[in-house]
Amino acid sequence: MTKDPKTVEYHSATGGWGSVRGMRDTALRERPSLGALDTLRRQNKTGGFMCTSCAWGKPKHPHAFEFCENGAKATMWELTSHRCTPEFFAEHSVTELRSWSDHDLEHQGRLTHPMRYDAATDHYVPCSWDEAFASIGAELKTINPKSAIFYASGRASLETTYAYALFARLYGHNNLPDSSNMCHETTSVTLNSLIGSPVGTCVLDDFEECDAIFFFGQNAGTNSPRFLHPLQKAVQRGCKVVTFNPIREKGLIEFISPQNPAQMLTGKGTQISCNYLQVRAGGDIAAIMGLCKFVFAEHERQGGTVIDRAFIAEHCTGFDAFHALADATSWERIEQESGLSRADIEAAGRVYVDAKRVIGVYGMGLTQHVHGFENIAMLVNLLLMRGNIGRPGAGICPVRGHSNVQGQRTVGMSEKPELVPLDKIAAQFGFEPPRDQGMTTVDVCEGLLDGTVHAFIGLGGNFLRAIPDQSRIEPVWEKMQLTVQIATKLNRGHLFNGRTAYLLPCLGRSEEDIRAGGPQTVTIEDSFSHIHGSLGHRTPASEHLKSEMAIVAGMAMATVAPNPNVPWEAWTGDYALVRDQIAETYHEQFHDMNARMFEPGGFYRGNSAREREWKTESGKAVFTSPEMLAATDVADADGRYRLVTVRSNDQFNTTIYGYSDRLRGIEGKRDVVLMNPADIDRAGLRAGQRIALVGDAGDGHARRIDGLEIVPFNLPDGTIVGYYPELNPLIAVTHHDRQSKTPAAKAVPVRIEAAA
Ligand SMILES: Nc1nc2c(c(=O)[nH]1)N[C@H]1C(S)=C(S)[C@@H](COP(=O)(O)OP(=O)(O)OC[C@H]3O[C@@H](n4cnc5c(=O)[nH]c(N)nc54)[C@H](O)[C@@H]3O)O[C@H]1N2
Ligand SMILES: Nc1nc2c(c(=O)[nH]1)N[C@H]1C(S)=C(S)[C@@H](COP(=O)(O)OP(=O)(O)OC[C@H]3O[C@@H](n4cnc5c(=O)[nH]c(N)nc54)[C@H](O)[C@@H]3O)O[C@H]1N2
Ligand SMILES: [Mo]
């Protein structure tokens, strides 16, 4: 593993003392309330609360401290002693706050009071909860329900989400996009159509049995650090890890476990990847095609023993067409499109062929592309060739982002009516739910641009900052009649308001939620389809906060006609009653939910594809023959780059904890473009120079960000990297996965211009 002295990088392993310092820096900044350490000790353990950071599984036998640097930061960020009060809003106008950074806005601390936006003074002013609910209900009643959007950001519990989606349907729409629409919606659509399950087929135990793990575009060290423990264990028992990623991400190279005193003291970690292939952005269809070609060739060479023909004959369709396509695709094109050499791809293919059980892991590096569907379909092809789906130690493993984003989809938060048991819901609650397609995130953006969206409710999140084409959408956002944001902290999305606008502060998951029926538990679903109860213990940040469930119920009661089967008050007093309803709607998966929610390791709701029961149209698992080899449809051209937007370990999405991307060696700044030294030379630029990036979508809209600093970095030619969300204005809303409409935040076509 060579080090290029001309590029910036981090010279230590992931984990280790660096991660401990990372947590300390957040603690010093946030001065979390006394007792936060006690909360951390209970994090991700039965009877404790489930981390609000990522969705990685919670093991049956947790570590003494079952949290990572990011989970600790997320908890301290929520339990901060800073408060964002009515006095703060009296001091600063909303327009003034728009010039603040994402970090500075959230750093003000927890929101304490319900607030109404007063357009006359351009300030948020305090209001009562009753006033807020009455006014929201009155506004919603005057508009066509089909023009209202109920968004959720993947954190709210199964109980709240179930009630929220029911509220939307009682009111009259399926416009229920959640953050999944910008994230793993490509997974839901692709896996559902190819293997008949919208979620991954692996469980945590599979990582104890697999012989190889193939990683595509998932940055475990930064984004799901607790994954590094099972990964390290797997490597130590001889499992091979092969990584495809344009960036040499530290966590997939070396890891020092902060839970291991010997490693901490000696500074000697575990090497993770045995093969690391720096595929160019958008090059995975080609790279995986190369792997598959190698498997076909080895099958011939080894006398027909490599491909699992029996499995394919019994379980799959489309194999022959795919075989013909692989034969017809030349290595020359594969090398050109992937940016990898045939020798490197074949060496990786050798690991695949030699392994009995293989897991395919992936993240945003596959989903957030114009041909994200085909990216994932190619990974499915590769796995199916050797029967690596539906047996222990093997499978497909999309790593989900938000802690309950998968669960929200499971319990009805979906704009796709075909994914929701609407007949069951109709019978259970005695009303006719809408059956038409609701709006995805991209549909909402387009609806805002053409003026057909009139109300937006955000159950958490920072929609306006997370979407593409932000600079075009911010001004039209304010034409809406009603905007409501339910949040813990102030963010940029709260600074653009409809004619009537409310900012409603809620409890965080680590906080005690005492209702008529006593302290309330909530539940969430992790990336492995396991359901966990979560009990908050901390004193709420302010006495004026309400739980998300109470806020949803408050809005619903003010908006929809009373329904004897939907007792909002009773549900708000005792969430167990909502769990009974979830168990009724989704009986097979959620039966006895109240009794099972504290099972160690969570209860498993099952997955048909894991059992090799394929709930697809053909009843079989599907081989796909993609028509393209590049995951983008923008041709290569002189001066055009493929921009990848990524996260640092010092942020959680639009929440910017600080300015240290320790694992990439970038400190104190985020206004950067990473570029390889040869590309810098070719473009006649120099390290440290300030430039502008401009969008190159070719649709006539100007997209530009000025003043970015060039940082030399080890990357494939033509691939450049910058930070999300700062660079979102460069992404055209039309740049999305063609099948699922997930915005394509990777391989964004851009050019470089002189800074203004
Ligand atoms: N600390 C932290 N943790 C988080 C989050 C956070 O913001 N901060 N966000 C959470 C959320 S919501 C999510 S969805 C997950 C996201 O976690 P990831 O799925 O890891 O998402 P990204 O950070 O976008 O990084 C994607 C990775 O794909 C690589 N990549 C980019 N383009 C390509 C490509 O064309 N091919 C291949 N093979 N690789 C590519 C990038 O170099 C990067 O390593 O993390 C969750 N956890
Ligand atoms: N360019 C680019 N764009 C991207 C991505 C990318 O990789 N590149 N990634 C996409 C992905 S994967 C995702 S998931 C989206 C994320 O989009 P969102 O989920 O909408 O954004 P977050 O930044 O996670 O939301 C942060 C806000 O949530 C609120 N919050 C925090 N905790 C709670 C809580 O417990 N309850 C409530 N009600 N509110 C809370 C706080 O006010 C905080 O400011 O962004 C997407 N956008
Ligand atoms: Mo995400």
Side-chain angles (χ1 to χ4, degrees):
M1 310 223 164
T2 52
K3 288 192 174 121
D4 181 344
K6 294 195 300 296
T7 55
V8 170
E9 65 177 300
Y10 179 57
H11 291 292
S12 311
T14 318
W17 292 108
S19 71
V20 175
R21 279 191 290 273
M23 291 187 251
R24 182 204 57 194
D25 290 349
T26 307
L28 288 175
R29 267 195 309 259
E30 293 314 302
R31 295 185 283 118
S33 58
L34 286 171
L37 188 67
D38 179 54
T39 301
L40 282 174
R41 207 173 286 128
R42 294 175 202 253
Q43 192 148 318
N44 297 330
K45 291 200 187 134
T46 309
F49 96 101
M50 295 299 146
C51 179
T52 50
S53 194
C54 78
W56 186 254
K58 321 322 180 208
K60 243 181 250 140
H61 307 291
H63 292 103
F65 294 91
E66 186 60 39
F67 59 86
C68 65
E69 174 182 356
N70 296 331
K73 281 181 183 171
T75 300
M76 290 189 275
W77 194 252
E78 186 165 294
L79 295 178
T80 176
S81 55
H82 304 183
R83 294 291 178 270
C84 187
T85 59
E87 291 71 42
F88 171 85
F89 288 110
E91 208 173 306
H92 304 281
S93 75
V94 165
T95 304
E96 178 210 325
L97 291 171
R98 287 181 191 174
S99 66
W100 288 32
S101 70
D102 297 300
H103 169 84
D104 291 348
L105 290 172
E106 282 212 30
H107 187 59
Q108 297 315 306
R110 291 288 298 279
L111 296 163
T112 57
H113 289 68
M115 308 292 289
R116 175 175 59 80
Y117 177 62
D118 180 45
T121 59
D122 188 31
H123 282 263
Y124 270 114
V125 294
C127 66
S128 73
W129 283 103
D130 286 346
E131 176 206 320
F133 293 148
S135 157
I136 292 165
E139 294 291 341
L140 285 176
K141 281 191 225 173
T142 66
I143 64 167
N144 178 351
K146 309 278 185 221
S147 69
I149 312 299
F150 289 13
Y151 171 73
S153 121
R155 274 190 228 236
S157 65
L158 294 173
E159 294 80 357
T160 304
T161 309
Y162 180 86
Y164 188 54
L166 184 62
F167 169 27
R169 297 193 167 100
L170 285 162
Y171 173 53
H173 68 74
N174 283 315
N175 298 329
L176 291 162
D178 76 352
S179 61
S180 176
N181 277 105
M182 305 183 225
C183 184
H184 268 293
E185 194 57 18
T186 327
T187 294
S188 313
V189 169
T190 311
L191 293 187
N192 204 36
S193 79
L194 303 183
I195 61 170
S197 159
V199 301
T201 64
C202 288
V203 298
L204 258 181
D205 288 348
D206 290 323
F207 287 88
E208 293 174 14
E209 294 181 53
C210 56
D211 305 304
I213 304 173
F214 275 64
F215 260 87
F216 292 88
Q218 202 277 329
N219 183 11
T222 294
N223 294 328
S224 47
R226 285 185 306 109
F227 190 173
L228 297 177
H229 294 285
L231 202 56
Q232 186 185 35
K233 271 203 203 140
V235 171
Q236 284 167 346
R237 66 170 173 75
C239 172
K240 298 267 195 307
V241 176
V242 175
T243 298
F244 289 80
N245 196 313
I247 306 180
R248 290 178 51 80
E249 301 286 19
K250 269 287 140 137
L252 297 170
I253 293 173
E254 190 189 10
F255 174 56
I256 293 181
S257 170
Q259 319 257 358
N260 178 330
Q263 291 202 332
M264 288 294 275
L265 291 173
T266 60
K268 211 171 147 21
T270 308
Q271 296 298 322
I272 301 293
S273 299
C274 57
N275 300 51
Y276 205 111
L277 293 91
Q278 283 182 272
V279 62
R280 70 195 284 226
D284 300 270
I285 300 174
I288 304 174
M289 187 63 90
L291 292 173
C292 294
K293 264 180 97 74
F294 179 78
V295 178
F296 282 118
E298 276 299 290
H299 185 70
E300 291 296 309
R301 207 179 62 80
Q302 297 189 23
T305 54
V306 170
I307 294 173
D308 189 343
R309 297 298 308 226
F311 166 78
I312 292 170
E314 187 184 344
H315 290 284
C316 305
T317 88
F319 177 74
D320 293 337
F322 176 64
H323 190 176
L325 178 68
D327 280 351
T329 310
S330 71
W331 275 107
E332 194 187 355
R333 284 198 60 216
I334 288 173
E335 288 189 315
Q336 186 190 350
E337 292 296 348
S338 67
L340 300 170
S341 74
R342 176 173 176 174
D344 285 347
I345 297 175
E346 290 191 331
R350 169 73 54 206
V351 177
Y352 182 73
V353 163
D354 287 348
K356 284 210 184 70
R357 287 154 297 196
V358 178
I359 295 177
V361 173
Y362 68 93
M364 300 300 101
L366 290 196
T367 65
Q368 293 179 333
H369 279 285
V370 169
H371 296 301
F373 181 99
E374 286 78 6
N375 273 337
I376 299 171
M378 281 302 300
L379 181 54
V380 170
N381 288 345
L382 177 69
L383 293 170
L384 289 178
M385 283 177 95
R386 284 178 47 79
N388 273 315
I389 297 185
R391 58 191 169 88
I396 190 154
C397 179
V399 182
R400 297 273 172 169
H402 274 298
S403 51
N404 194 32
V405 65
Q406 182 169 313
Q408 292 196 333
R409 290 311 218 189
T410 305
V411 297
M413 178 80 210
S414 177
E415 73 288 350
K416 299 182 176 64
E418 66 276 16
L419 296 184
V420 184
L422 292 178
D423 290 339
K424 179 78 203 171
I425 287 172
Q428 198 173 331
F429 299 107
F431 77 107
E432 189 39 49
R435 306 274 174 164
D436 53 337
Q437 285 289 330
M439 288 191 222
T440 63
T441 289
V442 165
D443 298 331
V444 174
C445 293
E446 286 168 348
L448 285 162
L449 288 168
D450 65 25
T452 53
V453 169
H454 299 312
F456 181 95
I457 298 181
L459 179 56
N462 191 358
F463 185 84
L464 194 47
R465 189 70 169 143
I467 55 175
D469 252 340
Q470 217 171 75
S471 315
R472 288 179 65 208
I473 294 173
E474 279 180 351
V476 295
W477 187 265
E478 304 201 284
K479 296 190 177 147
M480 274 190 280
Q481 186 173 328
L482 172 72
T483 54
V484 179
Q485 303 284 359
I486 301 159
T488 51
K489 296 242 185 142
L490 180 63
N491 65 44
R492 185 169 175 86
H494 305 153
L495 306 176
F496 294 80
N497 289 311
R499 286 201 292 284
T500 299
Y502 288 91
L503 177 53
L504 304 178
C506 64
L507 293 173
R509 199 185 289 155
S510 57
E511 289 169 331
E512 205 167 51
D513 183 5
I514 310 265
R515 317 285 320 168
Q520 296 300 310
T521 297
V522 295
T523 52
I524 58 119
E525 172 180 337
D526 67 26
S527 245
F528 301 109
S529 309
H530 282 65
I531 318 297
H532 308 262
S534 175
L535 191 56
H537 293 275
R538 305 309 318 158
T539 306
S542 148
E543 58 184 339
H544 305 290
L545 304 184
K546 277 192 189 291
S547 71
E548 291 177 316
M549 176 63 89
I551 297 172
V552 167
M555 293 188 301
M557 284 187 283
T559 309
V560 298
N563 175 331
N565 302 314
V566 189
W568 295 109
E569 297 261 18
W571 287 5
T572 307
D574 185 358
Y575 305 167
L577 300 174
V578 185
R579 286 189 286 278
D580 287 340
Q581 299 296 332
I582 297 175
E584 165 85 19
T585 310
Y586 305 93
H587 181 76
E588 200 183 317
Q589 305 173 50
F590 286 93
H591 64 89
D592 303 311
M593 187 176 181
N594 277 307
R596 295 196 291 161
M597 67 185 175
F598 284 124
E599 274 178 22
F603 74 83
Y604 185 43
R605 69 174 176 86
N607 182 323
S608 49
R610 190 177 168 78
E611 312 302 324
R612 296 195 164 174
E613 183 200 333
W614 318 103
K615 294 185 176 168
T616 57
E617 249 169 54
S618 58
K620 301 214 163 186
V622 181
F623 276 93
T624 309
S625 297
E627 284 165 18
M628 72 297 292
L629 275 187
T632 164
D633 53 12
V634 181
D636 290 324
D638 262 359
R640 175 181 286 156
Y641 298 89
R642 292 184 183 179
L643 170 70
V644 165
T645 57
V646 294
R647 319 157 143 73
S648 79
N649 63 292
D650 214 8
Q651 77 183 88
F652 192 91
N653 297 338
T654 70
T655 295
I656 312 300
Y657 302 124
Y659 294 85
S660 164
D661 190 354
R662 189 182 77 249
L663 299 174
R664 301 195 184 100
I666 296 164
E667 297 292 339
K669 54 195 172 191
R670 293 176 56 88
D671 51 348
V672 292
V673 184
L674 316 185
M675 196 170 178
N676 88 29
D679 275 343
I680 296 177
D681 282 350
R682 266 193 292 273
L685 300 167
R686 57 187 160 67
Q689 187 175 343
R690 297 269 169 191
I691 51 101
L693 279 187
V694 296
D696 199 16
D699 61 356
H701 291 287
R703 301 181 177 88
R704 182 183 174 95
I705 294 188
D706 239 293
L708 298 168
E709 181 189 328
I710 300 268
V711 174
F713 205 80
N714 178 352
L715 287 169
D717 285 350
T719 295
I720 62 175
V721 172
Y723 290 115
Y724 147 63
E726 287 84 344
L727 300 187
N728 283 38
L730 294 172
I731 309 173
V733 69
T734 47
H735 195 253
H736 56 72
D737 174 46
R738 295 291 169 244
Q739 311 273 338
S740 65
K741 293 198 174 173
T742 305
K746 313 292 190 256
V748 181
V750 295
R751 290 178 180 277
I752 293 177
E753 286 184 1

